[in-house]
Tab-separated table of all heavy atoms in Angstrom:
chain	number	residue	atom	x	y	z
A	62	MET	N	0.963	7.590	0.560
A	62	MET	CA	1.678	7.130	-0.622
A	62	MET	C	0.639	6.571	-1.591
A	62	MET	O	-0.103	5.653	-1.269
A	62	MET	CB	2.702	6.070	-0.211
A	62	MET	CG	3.380	5.411	-1.364
A	62	MET	SD	4.846	4.456	-0.965
A	62	MET	CE	4.208	3.111	-0.045
A	63	LYS	N	0.594	7.125	-2.779
A	63	LYS	CA	-0.359	6.702	-3.806
A	63	LYS	C	0.386	5.855	-4.849
A	63	LYS	O	1.309	6.334	-5.501
A	63	LYS	CB	-0.985	7.924	-4.461
A	63	LYS	CG	-2.014	7.578	-5.501
A	63	LYS	CD	-2.631	8.822	-6.090
A	63	LYS	CE	-3.597	8.440	-7.183
A	63	LYS	NZ	-4.109	9.620	-7.870
A	64	ILE	N	-0.047	4.600	-5.005
A	64	ILE	CA	0.596	3.681	-5.947
A	64	ILE	C	-0.343	3.461	-7.117
A	64	ILE	O	-1.509	3.122	-6.933
A	64	ILE	CB	0.913	2.340	-5.262
A	64	ILE	CG1	1.836	2.560	-4.077
A	64	ILE	CG2	1.539	1.375	-6.260
A	64	ILE	CD1	2.011	1.352	-3.206
A	65	GLU	N	0.169	3.666	-8.333
A	65	GLU	CA	-0.627	3.483	-9.550
A	65	GLU	C	0.082	2.512	-10.487
A	65	GLU	O	1.310	2.508	-10.579
A	65	GLU	CB	-0.803	4.806	-10.287
A	65	GLU	CG	-1.596	5.842	-9.562
A	65	GLU	CD	-1.717	7.119	-10.371
A	65	GLU	OE1	-1.315	7.144	-11.549
A	65	GLU	OE2	-2.206	8.106	-9.806
A	66	ILE	N	-0.703	1.718	-11.204
A	66	ILE	CA	-0.176	0.839	-12.249
A	66	ILE	C	-0.803	1.277	-13.561
A	66	ILE	O	-2.028	1.293	-13.692
A	66	ILE	CB	-0.498	-0.633	-11.961
A	66	ILE	CG1	0.127	-1.066	-10.648
A	66	ILE	CG2	-0.002	-1.511	-13.105
A	66	ILE	CD1	-0.261	-2.460	-10.208
A	67	THR	N	0.037	1.643	-14.524
A	67	THR	CA	-0.433	2.119	-15.816
A	67	THR	C	0.013	1.152	-16.903
A	67	THR	O	1.165	0.744	-16.941
A	67	THR	CB	0.153	3.523	-16.111
A	67	THR	OG1	-0.095	4.361	-14.993
A	67	THR	CG2	-0.474	4.116	-17.340
A	68	HIS	N	-0.903	0.814	-17.778
A	68	HIS	CA	-0.646	-0.097	-18.905
A	68	HIS	C	-0.209	0.758	-20.090
A	68	HIS	O	-0.998	1.564	-20.599
A	68	HIS	CB	-1.943	-0.853	-19.207
A	68	HIS	CG	-1.798	-2.020	-20.090
A	68	HIS	ND1	-1.143	-3.160	-19.697
A	68	HIS	CD2	-2.237	-2.249	-21.342
A	68	HIS	CE1	-1.206	-4.040	-20.675
A	68	HIS	NE2	-1.859	-3.504	-21.685
A	69	VAL	N	1.054	0.636	-20.531
A	69	VAL	CA	1.573	1.477	-21.612
A	69	VAL	C	2.149	0.618	-22.738
A	69	VAL	O	2.592	-0.508	-22.510
A	69	VAL	CB	2.672	2.448	-21.109
A	69	VAL	CG1	2.115	3.421	-20.107
A	69	VAL	CG2	3.827	1.705	-20.513
A	70	LYS	N	2.135	1.154	-23.936
A	70	LYS	CA	2.696	0.459	-25.087
A	70	LYS	C	4.006	1.116	-25.463
A	70	LYS	O	4.087	2.321	-25.638
A	70	LYS	CB	1.745	0.514	-26.270
A	70	LYS	CG	2.292	-0.205	-27.488
A	70	LYS	CD	1.177	-0.675	-28.377
A	70	LYS	CE	1.647	-1.311	-29.652
A	70	LYS	NZ	2.509	-2.453	-29.482
A	71	LYS	N	5.033	0.299	-25.580
A	71	LYS	CA	6.316	0.799	-26.049
A	71	LYS	C	6.269	0.904	-27.573
A	71	LYS	O	5.485	0.229	-28.222
A	71	LYS	CB	7.444	-0.139	-25.630
A	71	LYS	CG	7.679	-0.120	-24.141
A	71	LYS	CD	8.690	-1.096	-23.616
A	71	LYS	CE	9.703	-1.614	-24.553
A	71	LYS	NZ	10.626	-2.566	-23.967
A	72	TYR	N	7.100	1.741	-28.147
A	72	TYR	CA	7.123	1.923	-29.588
A	72	TYR	C	7.486	0.611	-30.271
A	72	TYR	O	8.537	0.036	-30.024
A	72	TYR	CB	8.138	3.013	-29.953
A	72	TYR	CG	8.247	3.261	-31.430
A	72	TYR	CD1	7.260	3.969	-32.090
A	72	TYR	CD2	9.312	2.773	-32.162
A	72	TYR	CE1	7.346	4.188	-33.448
A	72	TYR	CE2	9.407	2.988	-33.515
A	72	TYR	CZ	8.419	3.698	-34.160
A	72	TYR	OH	8.501	3.920	-35.509
A	73	ASN	N	6.618	0.117	-31.156
A	73	ASN	CA	6.830	-1.119	-31.920
A	73	ASN	C	7.189	-2.302	-31.027
A	73	ASN	O	8.008	-3.132	-31.395
A	73	ASN	CB	7.932	-0.932	-32.962
A	73	ASN	CG	7.372	-0.540	-34.301
A	73	ASN	OD1	6.164	-0.570	-34.507
A	73	ASN	ND2	8.239	-0.177	-35.211
A	74	ALA	N	6.598	-2.387	-29.860
A	74	ALA	CA	6.914	-3.485	-28.944
A	74	ALA	C	5.670	-3.857	-28.148
A	74	ALA	O	4.588	-3.332	-28.383
A	74	ALA	CB	8.043	-3.064	-28.015
A	75	ALA	N	5.864	-4.734	-27.210
A	75	ALA	CA	4.759	-5.223	-26.385
A	75	ALA	C	4.323	-4.174	-25.362
A	75	ALA	O	4.972	-3.155	-25.174
A	75	ALA	CB	5.200	-6.492	-25.675
A	76	TRP	N	3.210	-4.477	-24.700
A	76	TRP	CA	2.702	-3.625	-23.636
A	76	TRP	C	3.463	-3.899	-22.337
A	76	TRP	O	3.871	-5.021	-22.077
A	76	TRP	CB	1.219	-3.911	-23.408
A	76	TRP	CG	0.353	-3.444	-24.516
A	76	TRP	CD1	0.111	-4.097	-25.687
A	76	TRP	CD2	-0.363	-2.228	-24.587
A	76	TRP	NE1	-0.733	-3.368	-26.473
A	76	TRP	CE2	-1.039	-2.200	-25.821
A	76	TRP	CE3	-0.518	-1.148	-23.729
A	76	TRP	CZ2	-1.851	-1.145	-26.204
A	76	TRP	CZ3	-1.322	-0.102	-24.116
A	76	TRP	CH2	-1.983	-0.104	-25.340
A	77	ASN	N	3.656	-2.867	-21.546
A	77	ASN	CA	4.296	-2.984	-20.247
A	77	ASN	C	3.433	-2.312	-19.193
A	77	ASN	O	2.551	-1.520	-19.513
A	77	ASN	CB	5.676	-2.322	-20.239
A	77	ASN	CG	6.704	-3.150	-20.963
A	77	ASN	OD1	6.525	-4.334	-21.157
A	77	ASN	ND2	7.799	-2.525	-21.352
A	78	HIS	N	3.696	-2.606	-17.944
A	78	HIS	CA	3.004	-1.998	-16.815
A	78	HIS	C	4.006	-1.139	-16.053
A	78	HIS	O	5.052	-1.632	-15.638
A	78	HIS	CB	2.439	-3.076	-15.890
A	78	HIS	CG	1.431	-3.940	-16.568
A	78	HIS	ND1	1.772	-4.990	-17.389
A	78	HIS	CD2	0.090	-3.886	-16.568
A	78	HIS	CE1	0.681	-5.551	-17.852
A	78	HIS	NE2	-0.360	-4.899	-17.370
A	79	VAL	N	3.693	0.131	-15.887
A	79	VAL	CA	4.564	1.056	-15.169
A	79	VAL	C	3.972	1.284	-13.787
A	79	VAL	O	2.808	1.658	-13.654
A	79	VAL	CB	4.696	2.398	-15.924
A	79	VAL	CG1	5.525	3.387	-15.130
A	79	VAL	CG2	5.299	2.175	-17.297
A	80	ILE	N	4.781	1.051	-12.754
A	80	ILE	CA	4.349	1.254	-11.382
A	80	ILE	C	4.871	2.613	-10.934
A	80	ILE	O	6.071	2.876	-11.008
A	80	ILE	CB	4.881	0.143	-10.441
A	80	ILE	CG1	4.351	-1.231	-10.888
A	80	ILE	CG2	4.458	0.394	-9.015
A	80	ILE	CD1	5.258	-1.974	-11.784
A	81	SER	N	3.949	3.484	-10.501
A	81	SER	CA	4.305	4.835	-10.082
A	81	SER	C	3.932	5.045	-8.618
A	81	SER	O	2.905	4.555	-8.158
A	81	SER	CB	3.562	5.870	-10.919
A	81	SER	OG	3.847	5.706	-12.280
A	82	VAL	N	4.779	5.788	-7.925
A	82	VAL	CA	4.505	6.169	-6.539
A	82	VAL	C	4.435	7.683	-6.497
A	82	VAL	O	5.404	8.359	-6.836
A	82	VAL	CB	5.599	5.646	-5.582
A	82	VAL	CG1	5.365	6.160	-4.178
A	82	VAL	CG2	5.649	4.139	-5.609
A	83	ASP	N	3.288	8.204	-6.118
A	83	ASP	CA	3.049	9.656	-6.061
A	83	ASP	C	3.374	10.335	-7.389
A	83	ASP	O	3.944	11.420	-7.429
A	83	ASP	CB	3.846	10.290	-4.921
A	83	ASP	CG	3.387	9.801	-3.567
A	83	ASP	OD1	2.198	9.479	-3.430
A	83	ASP	OD2	4.229	9.730	-2.644
A	84	GLY	N	3.059	9.672	-8.493
A	84	GLY	CA	3.259	10.250	-9.814
A	84	GLY	C	4.641	10.042	-10.408
A	84	GLY	O	4.882	10.416	-11.552
A	85	THR	N	5.565	9.440	-9.677
A	85	THR	CA	6.918	9.190	-10.161
A	85	THR	C	7.072	7.716	-10.523
A	85	THR	O	6.869	6.853	-9.680
A	85	THR	CB	7.960	9.547	-9.086
A	85	THR	OG1	7.763	10.888	-8.681
A	85	THR	CG2	9.374	9.377	-9.619
A	86	PRO	N	7.416	7.400	-11.780
A	86	PRO	CA	7.596	5.995	-12.158
A	86	PRO	C	8.787	5.380	-11.420
A	86	PRO	O	9.861	5.970	-11.360
A	86	PRO	CB	7.854	6.038	-13.661
A	86	PRO	CG	7.995	7.450	-14.042
A	86	PRO	CD	7.625	8.301	-12.885
A	87	VAL	N	8.568	4.185	-10.846
A	87	VAL	CA	9.626	3.550	-10.074
A	87	VAL	C	10.007	2.180	-10.612
A	87	VAL	O	11.106	1.702	-10.339
A	87	VAL	CB	9.257	3.432	-8.580
A	87	VAL	CG1	9.124	4.798	-7.953
A	87	VAL	CG2	7.993	2.634	-8.392
A	88	ALA	N	9.122	1.521	-11.371
A	88	ALA	CA	9.433	0.185	-11.885
A	88	ALA	C	8.588	-0.112	-13.122
A	88	ALA	O	7.539	0.495	-13.325
A	88	ALA	CB	9.175	-0.873	-10.822
A	89	ILE	N	9.078	-1.051	-13.936
A	89	ILE	CA	8.374	-1.513	-15.130
A	89	ILE	C	8.281	-3.031	-15.045
A	89	ILE	O	9.258	-3.700	-14.731
A	89	ILE	CB	9.116	-1.113	-16.414
A	89	ILE	CG1	9.190	0.400	-16.543
A	89	ILE	CG2	8.430	-1.711	-17.634
A	89	ILE	CD1	10.012	0.868	-17.730
A	90	ALA	N	7.094	-3.563	-15.340
A	90	ALA	CA	6.887	-5.008	-15.340
A	90	ALA	C	6.178	-5.405	-16.624
A	90	ALA	O	5.351	-4.659	-17.149
A	90	ALA	CB	6.051	-5.419	-14.139
A	91	LYS	N	6.515	-6.574	-17.152
A	91	LYS	CA	5.868	-7.043	-18.367
A	91	LYS	C	4.485	-7.622	-18.093
A	91	LYS	O	3.587	-7.484	-18.904
A	91	LYS	CB	6.739	-8.075	-19.074
A	91	LYS	CG	7.958	-7.462	-19.713
A	91	LYS	CD	8.655	-8.451	-20.605
A	91	LYS	CE	9.831	-7.769	-21.277
A	91	LYS	NZ	10.450	-8.616	-22.272
A	92	SER	N	4.311	-8.273	-16.941
A	92	SER	CA	3.022	-8.906	-16.662
A	92	SER	C	2.264	-8.128	-15.587
A	92	SER	O	2.854	-7.466	-14.735
A	92	SER	CB	3.223	-10.348	-16.198
A	92	SER	OG	3.788	-10.378	-14.907
A	93	ALA	N	0.950	-8.249	-15.630
A	93	ALA	CA	0.105	-7.594	-14.638
A	93	ALA	C	0.323	-8.214	-13.264
A	93	ALA	O	0.268	-7.522	-12.244
A	93	ALA	CB	-1.354	-7.704	-15.051
A	94	ARG	N	0.580	-9.519	-13.223
A	94	ARG	CA	0.816	-10.197	-11.945
A	94	ARG	C	2.066	-9.646	-11.266
A	94	ARG	O	2.058	-9.356	-10.069
A	94	ARG	CB	0.957	-11.705	-12.170
A	94	ARG	CG	1.195	-12.475	-10.897
A	94	ARG	CD	1.318	-13.984	-11.168
A	94	ARG	NE	1.515	-14.727	-9.944
A	94	ARG	CZ	2.690	-14.900	-9.348
A	94	ARG	NH1	3.779	-14.384	-9.876
A	94	ARG	NH2	2.785	-15.591	-8.233
A	95	ARG	N	3.132	-9.502	-12.014
A	95	ARG	CA	4.387	-8.974	-11.458
A	95	ARG	C	4.195	-7.526	-10.992
A	95	ARG	O	4.699	-7.131	-9.938
A	95	ARG	CB	5.481	-9.066	-12.523
A	95	ARG	CG	6.810	-8.509	-12.115
A	95	ARG	CD	7.566	-9.467	-11.283
A	95	ARG	NE	8.946	-8.991	-11.156
A	95	ARG	CZ	9.780	-9.446	-10.278
A	95	ARG	NH1	9.426	-10.416	-9.493
A	95	ARG	NH2	10.985	-8.970	-10.204
A	96	ALA	N	3.474	-6.738	-11.775
A	96	ALA	CA	3.203	-5.353	-11.390
A	96	ALA	C	2.409	-5.308	-10.090
A	96	ALA	O	2.683	-4.483	-9.214
A	96	ALA	CB	2.449	-4.637	-12.504
A	97	GLY	N	1.454	-6.212	-9.939
A	97	GLY	CA	0.670	-6.282	-8.717
A	97	GLY	C	1.511	-6.673	-7.516
A	97	GLY	O	1.320	-6.149	-6.415
A	98	LEU	N	2.446	-7.598	-7.721
A	98	LEU	CA	3.344	-8.002	-6.636
A	98	LEU	C	4.230	-6.837	-6.198
A	98	LEU	O	4.447	-6.624	-5.003
A	98	LEU	CB	4.218	-9.182	-7.068
A	98	LEU	CG	3.524	-10.531	-7.223
A	98	LEU	CD1	4.485	-11.561	-7.793
A	98	LEU	CD2	2.972	-11.005	-5.885
A	99	ILE	N	4.737	-6.077	-7.157
A	99	ILE	CA	5.589	-4.919	-6.837
A	99	ILE	C	4.777	-3.876	-6.076
A	99	ILE	O	5.234	-3.317	-5.076
A	99	ILE	CB	6.222	-4.327	-8.115
A	99	ILE	CG1	7.220	-5.319	-8.705
A	99	ILE	CG2	6.886	-2.989	-7.824
A	99	ILE	CD1	7.723	-4.952	-10.084
A	100	ALA	N	3.556	-3.612	-6.533
A	100	ALA	CA	2.704	-2.642	-5.855
A	100	ALA	C	2.369	-3.102	-4.437
A	100	ALA	O	2.375	-2.301	-3.495
A	100	ALA	CB	1.432	-2.413	-6.660
A	101	ALA	N	2.101	-4.392	-4.264
A	101	ALA	CA	1.801	-4.926	-2.936
A	101	ALA	C	3.016	-4.802	-2.022
A	101	ALA	O	2.885	-4.477	-0.837
A	101	ALA	CB	1.361	-6.380	-3.042
A	102	TYR	N	4.215	-5.054	-2.543
A	102	TYR	CA	5.438	-4.917	-1.758
A	102	TYR	C	5.612	-3.466	-1.306
A	102	TYR	O	5.965	-3.203	-0.156
A	102	TYR	CB	6.651	-5.375	-2.571
A	102	TYR	CG	7.933	-5.353	-1.777
A	102	TYR	CD1	8.259	-6.401	-0.925
A	102	TYR	CD2	8.813	-4.287	-1.864
A	102	TYR	CE1	9.424	-6.373	-0.175
A	102	TYR	CE2	9.981	-4.248	-1.130
A	102	TYR	CZ	10.285	-5.299	-0.289
A	102	TYR	OH	11.440	-5.270	0.450
A	103	LEU	N	5.364	-2.538	-2.221
A	103	LEU	CA	5.467	-1.127	-1.863
A	103	LEU	C	4.429	-0.737	-0.815
A	103	LEU	O	4.666	0.156	-0.009
A	103	LEU	CB	5.302	-0.250	-3.112
A	103	LEU	CG	6.490	-0.208	-4.058
A	103	LEU	CD1	6.100	0.485	-5.351
A	103	LEU	CD2	7.665	0.494	-3.415
A	104	ASP	N	3.292	-1.412	-0.830
A	104	ASP	CA	2.218	-1.119	0.118
A	104	ASP	C	2.470	-1.732	1.488
A	104	ASP	O	1.754	-1.436	2.431
A	104	ASP	CB	0.890	-1.599	-0.455
A	104	ASP	CG	-0.295	-0.907	0.162
A	104	ASP	OD1	-0.153	0.249	0.584
A	104	ASP	OD2	-1.364	-1.532	0.207
A	105	GLY	N	3.468	-2.615	1.603
A	105	GLY	CA	3.833	-3.161	2.894
A	105	GLY	C	3.607	-4.650	3.060
A	105	GLY	O	3.858	-5.192	4.134
A	106	ALA	N	3.138	-5.334	2.043
A	106	ALA	CA	2.924	-6.780	2.144
A	106	ALA	C	4.265	-7.506	2.156
A	106	ALA	O	5.256	-7.033	1.591
A	106	ALA	CB	2.093	-7.266	0.962
A	107	VAL	N	4.298	-8.667	2.797
A	107	VAL	CA	5.515	-9.476	2.858
A	107	VAL	C	5.502	-10.417	1.660
A	107	VAL	O	4.793	-11.416	1.644
A	107	VAL	CB	5.586	-10.273	4.178
A	107	VAL	CG1	6.834	-11.124	4.214
A	107	VAL	CG2	5.530	-9.327	5.360
A	108	ILE	N	6.282	-10.072	0.645
A	108	ILE	CA	6.309	-10.814	-0.617
A	108	ILE	C	7.765	-11.011	-1.025
A	108	ILE	O	8.584	-10.102	-0.897
A	108	ILE	CB	5.570	-10.042	-1.722
A	108	ILE	CG1	4.094	-9.922	-1.370
A	108	ILE	CG2	5.731	-10.710	-3.068
A	108	ILE	CD1	3.311	-9.057	-2.292
A	109	GLU	N	8.095	-12.210	-1.544
A	109	GLU	CA	9.432	-12.460	-2.083
A	109	GLU	C	9.416	-12.141	-3.571
A	109	GLU	O	8.678	-12.744	-4.344
A	109	GLU	CB	9.820	-13.917	-1.870
A	109	GLU	CG	10.113	-14.259	-0.424
A	109	GLU	CD	10.682	-15.652	-0.289
A	109	GLU	OE1	11.436	-16.076	-1.183
A	109	GLU	OE2	10.360	-16.293	0.710
A	110	LEU	N	10.248	-11.195	-3.984
A	110	LEU	CA	10.306	-10.799	-5.393
A	110	LEU	C	11.446	-11.484	-6.143
A	110	LEU	O	11.507	-11.401	-7.352
A	110	LEU	CB	10.436	-9.281	-5.504
A	110	LEU	CG	9.209	-8.492	-5.057
A	110	LEU	CD1	9.505	-7.005	-5.084
A	110	LEU	CD2	8.024	-8.808	-5.936
A	111	HIS	N	12.369	-12.136	-5.438
A	111	HIS	CA	13.477	-12.878	-6.053
A	111	HIS	C	14.346	-12.011	-6.968
A	111	HIS	O	14.858	-12.480	-7.974
A	111	HIS	CB	12.959	-14.089	-6.838
A	111	HIS	CG	12.125	-15.009	-6.022
A	111	HIS	ND1	12.637	-15.767	-5.000
A	111	HIS	CD2	10.803	-15.277	-6.056
A	111	HIS	CE1	11.674	-16.470	-4.442
A	111	HIS	NE2	10.543	-16.187	-5.062
A	112	ASP	N	14.475	-10.735	-6.649
A	112	ASP	CA	15.332	-9.822	-7.411
A	112	ASP	C	15.919	-8.829	-6.416
A	112	ASP	O	15.271	-7.844	-6.054
A	112	ASP	CB	14.526	-9.111	-8.489
A	112	ASP	CG	15.392	-8.265	-9.411
A	112	ASP	OD1	16.600	-8.109	-9.132
A	112	ASP	OD2	14.870	-7.759	-10.415
A	113	GLY	N	17.144	-9.116	-5.972
A	113	GLY	CA	17.772	-8.322	-4.926
A	113	GLY	C	17.911	-6.853	-5.255
A	113	GLY	O	17.673	-5.987	-4.415
A	114	THR	N	18.284	-6.542	-6.486
A	114	THR	CA	18.467	-5.152	-6.889
A	114	THR	C	17.146	-4.393	-6.847
A	114	THR	O	17.083	-3.266	-6.358
A	114	THR	CB	19.061	-5.079	-8.314
A	114	THR	OG1	20.259	-5.856	-8.349
A	114	THR	CG2	19.369	-3.653	-8.704
A	115	LEU	N	16.090	-5.012	-7.349
A	115	LEU	CA	14.771	-4.384	-7.331
A	115	LEU	C	14.300	-4.163	-5.894
A	115	LEU	O	13.788	-3.088	-5.565
A	115	LEU	CB	13.755	-5.243	-8.092
A	115	LEU	CG	12.315	-4.751	-8.082
A	115	LEU	CD1	12.206	-3.402	-8.775
A	115	LEU	CD2	11.405	-5.765	-8.740
A	116	VAL	N	14.502	-5.131	-5.038
A	116	VAL	CA	14.075	-5.016	-3.641
A	116	VAL	C	14.807	-3.873	-2.952
A	116	VAL	O	14.204	-3.099	-2.204
A	116	VAL	CB	14.279	-6.350	-2.892
A	116	VAL	CG1	14.084	-6.178	-1.399
A	116	VAL	CG2	13.343	-7.406	-3.436
A	117	LYS	N	16.102	-3.731	-3.203
A	117	LYS	CA	16.870	-2.628	-2.605
A	117	LYS	C	16.311	-1.279	-3.041
A	117	LYS	O	16.149	-0.369	-2.229
A	117	LYS	CB	18.341	-2.715	-3.002
A	117	LYS	CG	19.117	-3.763	-2.265
A	117	LYS	CD	20.568	-3.749	-2.696
A	117	LYS	CE	21.345	-4.869	-2.049
A	117	LYS	NZ	22.746	-4.879	-2.478
A	118	GLN	N	16.015	-1.139	-4.330
A	118	GLN	CA	15.479	0.119	-4.845
A	118	GLN	C	14.089	0.402	-4.271
A	118	GLN	O	13.773	1.539	-3.911
A	118	GLN	CB	15.425	0.093	-6.374
A	118	GLN	CG	16.774	0.034	-7.040
A	118	GLN	CD	17.638	1.232	-6.716
A	118	GLN	OE1	17.165	2.357	-6.652
A	118	GLN	NE2	18.915	0.986	-6.487
A	119	LEU	N	13.262	-0.633	-4.185
A	119	LEU	CA	11.917	-0.454	-3.641
A	119	LEU	C	11.974	-0.104	-2.153
A	119	LEU	O	11.168	0.702	-1.676
A	119	LEU	CB	11.079	-1.706	-3.862
A	119	LEU	CG	10.757	-2.048	-5.322
A	119	LEU	CD1	9.988	-3.349	-5.390
A	119	LEU	CD2	10.011	-0.931	-6.016
A	120	ASP	N	12.934	-0.675	-1.420
A	120	ASP	CA	13.094	-0.333	-0.008
A	120	ASP	C	13.478	1.137	0.159
A	120	ASP	O	13.000	1.814	1.079
A	120	ASP	CB	14.129	-1.235	0.654
A	120	ASP	CG	13.620	-2.645	0.886
A	120	ASP	OD1	12.387	-2.848	0.880
A	120	ASP	OD2	14.463	-3.551	1.057
A	121	LYS	N	14.332	1.638	-0.719
A	121	LYS	CA	14.698	3.063	-0.671
A	121	LYS	C	13.474	3.937	-0.903
A	121	LYS	O	13.285	4.946	-0.230
A	121	LYS	CB	15.759	3.383	-1.733
A	121	LYS	CG	17.123	2.842	-1.424
A	121	LYS	CD	18.084	3.206	-2.542
A	121	LYS	CE	19.418	2.525	-2.394
A	121	LYS	NZ	20.325	2.823	-3.528
A	122	ILE	N	12.649	3.548	-1.856
A	122	ILE	CA	11.446	4.330	-2.173
A	122	ILE	C	10.480	4.294	-0.988
A	122	ILE	O	9.870	5.321	-0.652
A	122	ILE	CB	10.779	3.771	-3.452
A	122	ILE	CG1	11.684	4.047	-4.655
A	122	ILE	CG2	9.401	4.371	-3.655
A	122	ILE	CD1	11.342	3.260	-5.869
A	123	LYS	N	10.352	3.141	-0.339
A	123	LYS	CA	9.471	3.037	0.819
A	123	LYS	C	9.943	3.934	1.957
A	123	LYS	O	9.135	4.556	2.641
A	123	LYS	CB	9.384	1.582	1.294
A	123	LYS	CG	8.506	0.726	0.415
A	123	LYS	CD	8.562	-0.755	0.682
A	123	LYS	CE	8.429	-1.202	2.088
A	123	LYS	NZ	8.361	-2.659	2.242
A	124	GLU	N	11.252	4.021	2.176
A	124	GLU	CA	11.787	4.876	3.245
A	124	GLU	C	11.561	6.346	2.944
A	124	GLU	O	11.211	7.116	3.832
A	124	GLU	CB	13.275	4.612	3.430
A	124	GLU	CG	13.573	3.337	4.165
A	124	GLU	CD	15.062	3.170	4.435
A	124	GLU	OE1	15.778	4.191	4.513
A	124	GLU	OE2	15.485	2.021	4.568
A	125	VAL	N	11.764	6.750	1.701
A	125	VAL	CA	11.616	8.150	1.335
A	125	VAL	C	10.161	8.584	1.436
A	125	VAL	O	9.858	9.707	1.858
A	125	VAL	CB	12.139	8.383	-0.104
A	125	VAL	CG1	11.770	9.755	-0.608
A	125	VAL	CG2	13.640	8.175	-0.149
A	126	SER	N	9.234	7.715	1.093
A	126	SER	CA	7.818	8.097	1.079
A	126	SER	C	7.182	8.120	2.459
A	126	SER	O	6.065	8.566	2.612
A	126	SER	CB	7.039	7.139	0.181
A	126	SER	OG	7.057	5.841	0.696
A	127	ARG	N	7.878	7.648	3.477
A	127	ARG	CA	7.331	7.670	4.853
A	127	ARG	C	7.298	9.020	5.405
A	127	ARG	O	7.514	9.990	5.356
A	127	ARG	CB	8.147	6.774	5.774
A	127	ARG	CG	7.919	5.345	5.503
A	127	ARG	CD	8.648	4.504	6.495
A	127	ARG	NE	8.528	3.100	6.112
A	127	ARG	CZ	9.140	2.141	6.704
A	127	ARG	NH1	9.928	2.378	7.719
A	127	ARG	NH2	8.979	0.910	6.324
């Protein structure tokens, strides 16, 4: 599983970080720290993200990529 974080600019807005797994975007974070936490969670680290919906989606992605 290849996890990438890309720094992108939205049209007339702030910069965001897009987290991709195997080339497919799976999440967007405003801060680099949050993007790093999401990537670490996808990589298998035990991290509390405090967002139940996001955790459920990330768990699905982790199961599919196995």
Side-chain angles (χ1 to χ4, degrees):
M62 173 166 68
K63 182 178 177 186
I64 301 170
E65 295 180 8
I66 299 174
T67 309
H68 193 69
V69 296
K70 180 154 176 58
K71 291 175 22 181
Y72 179 76
N73 266 351
W76 290 82
N77 285 340
H78 298 81
V79 176
I80 299 94
S81 302
V82 175
D83 295 330
T85 305
V87 295
I89 297 175
K91 288 190 177 187
S92 70
R94 180 180 181 277
R95 178 80 168 165
L98 289 174
I99 293 170
Y102 184 82
L103 285 170
D104 202 29
V107 179
I108 296 173
E109 289 188 35
L110 292 174
H111 304 292
D112 186 352
T114 306
L115 176 63
V116 170
K117 284 182 185 179
Q118 294 299 320
L119 294 177
D120 287 341
K121 288 179 188 177
I122 292 165
K123 284 170 49 174
E124 284 185 26
V125 169
S126 65
R127 288 185 186 174

